[in-house]
Structures are given as structure tokens and as C-alpha cells.
Amino acid sequence: MNQKTPFAVVRYDKPTILFHWVCAFIIILQFVGANIWGLFRNPLHHHLVVLHLTAGMVLSVLFPIRMIWRMGWGRHIRAADRWLDCVMARGVEYSLYGLVILEIALGYLWRWGNGQPMSFLILQIRPPFEKFSASTIYLLHRLHQCNGWLITALAMGHALAACFHYFILRDHVLQRMLMTEDRADEYGK
């Protein structure tokens, strides 16, 4: 007899879901803020930069905690039934983890390497090392920008894959990351 697993069992645990959506929100905020602050003059430009730095510092604490939780105590769910789907899902997940950690490190290095403090709201954290050369600062800036775009492209693919699962395959992959009632909706199986 083929017995289905109850829907509640295939959901990630609440801390994993919360970490996922909070980090996703911060990353979107970071990307949008960095790409629009050039459109504004001070003081709004300055406030957007400080918001970017503050959110980056929050992410630099939150994201490693998220990874530790996910690898240690978080509920582990098989990525997919098919081997290739599983490899792709885990590949995107781990690539995003690595790229976000790299982006955080590049942000600190670029800011501090430029001789500027990191701003957490009004708190200024001075650079722990001397200013880098102009060519190194330029390289760090470009890497930070390109890596941000790479994260955004990969995250968009991740989101589109979730939509594909929800609207086309009509499975419960997207619902695994939602804190909703334990019942299928009109699109679910």
C-alpha cells in the first residue's frame, strides 16, 4: 500500500524558514539599495549607504548562524526524488551560501581597505588594518559588485524554480519554506 507522508513532515522547521526569508529580504534590500543610491543626493544617498552597511553587518552575523543551524539542528529534507534535480538543488543552495559569505567578506575588505569605517546605524567601526592601494580597492569594489549580481541571478533562478514547482509541477517544494497551515492549497496535489 502506498502511503503518503503527512504534509507537515515535509516542511522545514520554523527557524530554518525564518532564517531563509529574513536573509533573503536583507539580500534583496542590499542589492536594491546599492543599485539606487547613486540616483540620490545627500542626505538620502548617505542614509542608503549607512542602511547598506548596517544590513550587511546584520547579515554577517545572521548568515553564519543560519548556516550552522541548517547544517546542525535544522530539519533535513531530501532535495528531490530525481538525482539530477537533487544535485542541481544542492548545488544552487551551497553556491548561494558560498557567494553570500564571499560578498560579506568583500564588503568589509572594500570598505575597510578604502580606509573608511563600517557604519552600524550611528556606531562607527574603524578599519583594523591600513588602507589598501587604489588598484586593490578598485578590484575589491568590482568583485563586490559582480558577486552581488551573481547572487541576484542565482537567487532569481532559485525563485523561478520554486515557482515552476508550484505552478507547473504542482508539488510541495515551495510550501516547504512557508509557515502556513498544514494543508494543500488549490495548486498543490
Side-chain angles (χ1 to χ4, degrees):
M1 181 179 230
N2 187 6
Q3 201 169 19
K4 285 191 173 185
T5 307
F7 187 62
V9 176
V10 296
R11 228 177 259 285
Y12 286 103
D13 55 282
K14 288 184 181 182
T16 298
I17 294 169
L18 190 61
F19 279 134
H20 176 269
W21 291 111
V22 169
C23 288
F25 174 77
I26 292 172
I27 289 167
I28 292 166
L29 178 72
Q30 293 291 82
F31 182 78
V32 170
N35 284 288
I36 66 166
W37 69 40
L39 302 174
F40 303 101
R41 294 182 179 190
N42 282 334
L44 183 56
H45 173 87
H46 176 73
H47 292 315
L48 288 171
V49 171
V50 171
L51 176 64
H52 184 82
L53 295 171
T54 300
M57 292 178 77
V58 169
L59 191 64
S60 70
V61 171
L62 187 63
F63 201 78
I65 294 170
R66 174 199 177 173
M67 288 176 51
I68 291 167
W69 176 265
R70 178 82 174 90
M71 290 186 258
W73 299 278
R75 183 175 295 146
H76 296 275
I77 299 174
R78 236 168 86 188
D81 292 331
R82 293 182 297 262
W83 178 82
L84 183 59
D85 290 346
C86 184
V87 168
M88 289 181 67
R90 289 295 182 236
V92 168
E93 177 184 5
Y94 297 143
S95 294
L96 280 170
Y97 285 173
L99 290 171
V100 170
I101 292 296
L102 178 61
E103 186 73 354
I104 291 167
L106 287 169
Y108 279 96
L109 287 171
W110 174 42
R111 183 75 178 181
W112 282 341
N114 203 18
Q116 297 177 326
M118 288 292 290
S119 299
F120 185 83
L121 300 175
I122 61 169
L123 177 67
Q124 301 288 306
I125 302 171
R126 308 287 316 152
F129 42 77
E130 294 297 314
K131 189 174 179 176
F132 297 157
S133 68
S135 60
T136 303
I137 292 167
Y138 175 78
L139 177 63
L140 289 169
H141 179 226
R142 293 295 298 149
L143 288 172
H144 188 65
Q145 285 181 322
C146 292
N147 193 53
W149 278 97
L150 186 56
I151 289 168
T152 302
L154 204 53
M156 287 294 291
H158 175 68
L160 289 172
C163 291
F164 177 77
H165 276 274
Y166 188 71
F167 292 110
I168 307 299
L169 298 179
R170 296 178 182 241
D171 60 20
H172 296 298
V173 169
L174 177 63
Q175 289 92 333
R176 292 175 177 183
M177 265 305 164
L178 300 177
M179 284 196 248
T180 60
E181 294 180 28
D182 292 333
R183 60 180 172 78
D185 62 17
E186 61 185 277
Y187 294 108
K189 286 185 177 178

